[in-house]
Amino acid sequence: MIELNRISFAYPGCSPLLKEVSVSFPRGKITTILGPNGCGKSTLLKVACNLMPATEGEVLLEGKRIREMKPKKVARQVALLSQSHQPPEIEVADLVSYGRFPYRKYGQGITKEDKRHVEEAMERVNMADYRHRLVNKLSGGERQRAYIAMALAQDTELIFLDEPTTYLDIHIRFELMELVRELNRSGKTIVMVLHDLNLALEYSHNLILMEAGKIVTTGSPEEIITSGEMDRVFQIRTKIFEEQENTYYYFAQKEE
Amino acid sequence: MNEKKKKQLTNQQKGRLAILVTFLLVVIALVSGVTIGSSNISPAAFFEAWAKGDTTASAYRIVIHSRLPRVLGALLAGSSLAVCGSILQAVLQNPLASPSVIGVNNGAGLLVLLCSALLPSRPSLLPLAAFLGALLTALAVFALAMGKSVSRVTLVLTGIAMSSILGAGMNCIMILYPDAYIGASTFLVGGLSAVTLKSLEAPVWYILIGLLLAMMMRRDMNIVSLGSDTARSLGMSVGRTRFLLVFTAAILAGAAVSFAGLISFVGLIIPHGFRFLIGNDNRYLVPSCIFAGGAFVILCDLVSRTAFAPYEVPVGILLSFLGGPFFIYLIIRSRRRVND
């Protein structure tokens, strides 16, 4: 699995976005990174999968230094659904087939094995009927499912999702999170960045709370809530309601 | 309703159909380009002379010495500039990019004129000089485009400014070395009247290599078009792939400019036309551009040499008349999308 050891990251001539971050993501779990805007959540994801090489420290993937690994080899173990897409004017099936790029030899077309993975990925996210639809003509939720299918076609154990629910309607957010949960149950390790605290608390096994490029605390949702750190970092107050074995959270502005 | 759905072609089917249709189109254009002109020549008359080995027959002489070099030149220039345009649009993720718009053609042209002025006895070096000029300009634009705050229109405006600077350089060379390049005025607008089979001997290899590279990398162009983060997360070495694509675009633009001059807008009109018809899948777009670009320039050249007979207008002028309004339309559409 991925392990980050004393990672720092800064763009040349700029102040650091990550400061000596050490963390690992438990195998087979859903881990969510939380924190205010600009605290380095997305940067942490990109550094973790070597999209942006760390300025200091090292990232280990299954015990090997990730920066010394070939990009295609990393992509066979880690898939990333990045935050913003310029939706391409291509068919869904073609987009999903790009997920097989890490397995492709130079100049080689799509193989039978690739086709099988593409079909399975589309089936799993209920996009098989959309195969000939253009990606840029899909709704926000359908588009995210198409991109998740591409990540599934990559056939990796670890999937990173960078704000997958942004700009989606509330019921689509829940649908997407149910899909994430289903993927996790089928054996995928999920690491995601979310802004929606309710979704993060409901769907995660493990939370990482960040502030100003540093990790404040990690733990289960209950541990994070009861520590009071989330209230401090987001400047909110959290109320917990329990009803028929379910726990609900209400967030309000912090009183002066 | 279901029947209607069944009848709709998928992008893959459209792409395959486009390749077939454009291939047929290029064959028709080749035959038309060779047979139609100030004196029409029937294929039968040419083949009769050719079979007899009668090299003095007028049909044979017109085809071999005048029409064939010109048609082959149009085919090579059209194919290479159309593919170059589709590559630049994918790499820069900018639909307004084309070799003439962002200054790549002018970069090639400047070094062609410089090479003609300083090394007049080495015409075989012209394609290499043009390639270097195109590559340096493309890399400069590429470096600029990688800046995060550069908008599509800013990039195009910078390309136009760069074209002006390079154009001024070309004018300087022509003033300082007036005899450096025979037919310099045609070169500046782009024309095929001076093309001979000899003048195509070197560029044809550059273009074949460039087209082969483009065909090999057309799947990579699709991945690059998804954006840097997604392409990297799929395991692509984005910087290296982009450089290879820019290198290929420079080979194609440089080779075309070295014999056809500064032909404009082919790299804009053809890729856009086919994006509209078959979508953005470069697996089909690149081969369609190879055939359609060639057919388009052959047919435009045919019009430019027959419409005003006995006078002849360089094909570059006709292409500018067609491409200029199309470019303005694309800018307006691009701005409208930003405002929406």
Side-chain angles (χ1 to χ4, degrees), chain A:
Chain A
M1 215 31 40
I2 287 193
E3 201 181 317
L4 282 73
N5 291 331
R6 297 175 68 87
I7 290 295
S8 295
F9 178 83
Y11 287 110
C14 299
S15 50
L17 295 170
L18 295 177
K19 299 165 195 165
E20 299 208 341
V21 172
S22 295
V23 71
S24 63
F25 309 115
R27 198 185 289 268
K29 303 286 182 195
I30 299 177
T31 300
T32 301
I33 307 169
L34 291 172
N37 284 338
C39 71
K41 305 182 293 289
S42 297
T43 308
L44 181 65
L45 272 196
K46 288 180 184 175
V47 169
C49 59
N50 207 33
L51 244 63
M52 302 194 304
T55 324
E56 283 172 40
E58 61 186 11
V59 180
L60 301 176
L61 176 58
E62 302 295 358
K64 292 177 188 161
R65 287 196 186 108
I66 203 166
R67 69 168 69 204
E68 290 168 8
M69 293 171 72
K70 289 188 172 170
K72 279 193 175 179
K73 202 168 181 189
V74 175
R76 283 179 213 158
Q77 295 180 66
V78 188
L80 168 75
L81 176 59
S82 57
Q83 193 175 342
S84 57
H85 318 287
Q86 180 72 31
E89 200 180 332
I90 54 171
E91 290 179 4
V92 169
D94 289 328
L95 178 78
V96 179
S97 74
Y98 297 163
R100 299 304 295 166
F101 181 80
Y103 300 89
R104 221 184 65 198
K105 287 178 188 152
Y106 202 79
Q108 186 190 40
I110 196 157
T111 63
K112 274 187 183 171
E113 172 80 353
D114 293 334
K115 276 184 186 165
R116 187 178 61 79
H117 280 282
V118 169
E119 284 303 316
E120 278 176 15
M122 286 193 296
E123 292 285 348
R124 263 177 96 173
V125 300
N126 289 326
M127 289 299 282
D129 292 340
Y130 291 67
R131 67 181 68 235
H132 293 308
R133 295 269 299 274
L134 294 175
V135 176
N136 61 331
K137 304 282 183 205
L138 297 176
S139 70
E142 290 163 352
R143 200 176 292 163
Q144 285 298 61
R145 280 195 284 146
Y147 275 99
I148 289 177
M150 182 175 84
L152 286 176
Q154 245 176 285
D155 194 25
T156 59
E157 190 192 333
L158 187 60
I159 299 180
F160 286 173
L161 305 169
D162 193 358
E163 299 191 24
T165 59
T166 309
Y167 306 124
L168 298 181
D169 287 340
I170 185 108
H171 69 284
I172 306 287
R173 290 181 189 199
F174 281 111
E175 265 180 39
L176 204 71
M177 282 298 104
E178 286 299 327
L179 174 63
V180 168
R181 183 176 272 168
E182 203 183 300
L183 295 177
N184 170 250
R185 283 178 182 154
S186 70
K188 304 280 184 193
T189 300
I190 309 281
V191 180
M192 58 185 173
V193 168
L194 283 181
H195 267 298
D196 190 318
L197 299 182
N198 267 315
L199 292 179
L201 292 166
E202 190 176 338
Y203 286 93
S204 313
H205 299 110
N206 186 42
L207 295 179
I208 297 172
L209 186 62
M210 289 186 72
E211 185 182 29
K214 288 185 173 177
I215 291 179
V216 178
T217 183
T218 62
S220 68
E222 294 74 24
E223 285 167 346
I224 298 287
I225 286 284
T226 51
S227 73
E229 288 289 0
M230 200 164 83
D231 284 11
R232 186 188 64 75
V233 167
F234 285 101
Q235 297 183 330
I236 53 171
R237 58 199 166 87
T238 308
K239 286 198 172 183
I240 305 167
F241 300 96
E242 304 226 343
E243 189 185 286
Q244 293 173 348
E245 294 177 13
N246 288 321
T247 309
Y248 299 98
Y249 303 96
Y250 171 75
F251 305 103
Q253 195 178 9
K254 195 175 186 179
E255 286 168 345
E256 290 299 321

Side-chain angles (χ1 to χ4, degrees), chain B residues 245-275:
Chain B
L245 286 167
V246 169
F247 183 86
T248 305
I251 292 177
L252 292 168
V257 168
S258 72
F259 68 87
L262 307 181
I263 287 183
S264 305
F265 295 118
V266 181
L268 199 69
I269 296 171
I270 297 299
H272 270 282
F274 278 86
R275 274 181 216 284

Side-chain angles (χ1 to χ4, degrees), chain B residues 3-252:
Chain B
E3 271 184 20
K4 199 180 172 185
K5 257 188 181 174
K6 277 179 193 168
K7 280 178 190 170
Q8 281 180 351
L9 293 178
T10 66
N11 271 11
Q12 278 189 11
Q13 289 167 327
K14 283 183 197 169
R16 287 181 185 139
L17 188 64
I19 294 170
L20 182 69
V21 170
T22 52
F23 175 74
L24 294 174
L25 195 66
V26 86
V27 173
I28 294 166
L30 278 167
V31 174
S32 308
V34 169
T35 54
I36 301 171
S38 52
S39 58
N40 290 341
I41 293 164
S42 72
F46 166 72
F47 282 115
E48 194 184 329
W50 181 68
K52 284 181 185 167
D54 183 5
T55 54
T56 56
S58 66
Y60 182 89
R61 279 191 295 130
I62 290 171
V63 169
I64 296 295
H65 299 297
S66 172
R67 303 257 174 94
L68 191 63
R70 195 165 174 152
V71 165
L72 287 178
L75 173 70
L76 292 170
S79 299
S80 51
L81 289 172
V83 173
C84 177
S86 66
I87 292 174
L88 290 174
Q89 285 153 25
V91 174
L92 299 172
Q93 289 183 271
N94 189 331
L96 299 171
S98 84
S100 54
V101 170
I102 64 167
V104 172
N105 280 1
N106 276 21
L110 177 66
L111 283 215
V112 164
L113 292 183
L114 198 63
C115 185
S116 304
L118 301 179
L119 300 164
S121 60
R122 306 288 296 275
S124 60
L125 287 179
L126 291 184
L128 183 63
F131 160 66
L132 288 175
L135 183 65
L136 290 174
T137 316
L139 287 177
V141 175
F142 177 60
L144 177 84
M146 292 306 105
K148 282 192 173 173
S149 58
V150 178
S151 76
R152 288 171 174 181
V153 176
T154 307
L155 180 72
V156 169
L157 291 175
T158 310
I160 291 169
M162 203 177 273
S163 292
S164 300
I165 297 165
L166 295 165
M170 284 190 273
N171 284 319
C172 276
I173 293 168
M174 284 193 295
I175 289 167
L176 294 172
Y177 300 91
D179 302 324
Y181 196 96
I182 299 160
S185 59
T186 304
F187 178 85
L188 290 180
V189 292
L192 297 157
S193 56
V195 172
T196 59
L197 286 177
K198 180 93 184 149
S199 69
L200 295 177
E201 272 175 7
V204 73
W205 293 110
Y206 283 79
I207 289 172
L208 288 178
I209 290 168
L211 294 179
L212 186 68
L213 285 172
M215 285 295 285
M216 284 169 67
M217 289 195 289
R218 65 199 201 280
R219 288 186 179 85
D220 294 340
M221 286 162 68
N222 284 342
I223 306 282
V224 165
S225 304
L226 296 176
S228 298
D229 280 354
T230 305
R232 278 199 190 98
S233 72
L234 289 169
M236 172 175 270
S237 300
V238 177
R240 194 177 64 185
T241 307
R242 280 189 169 143
F243 177 79
L244 274 174
L245 286 167
V246 169
F247 183 86
T248 305
I251 292 177
L252 292 168

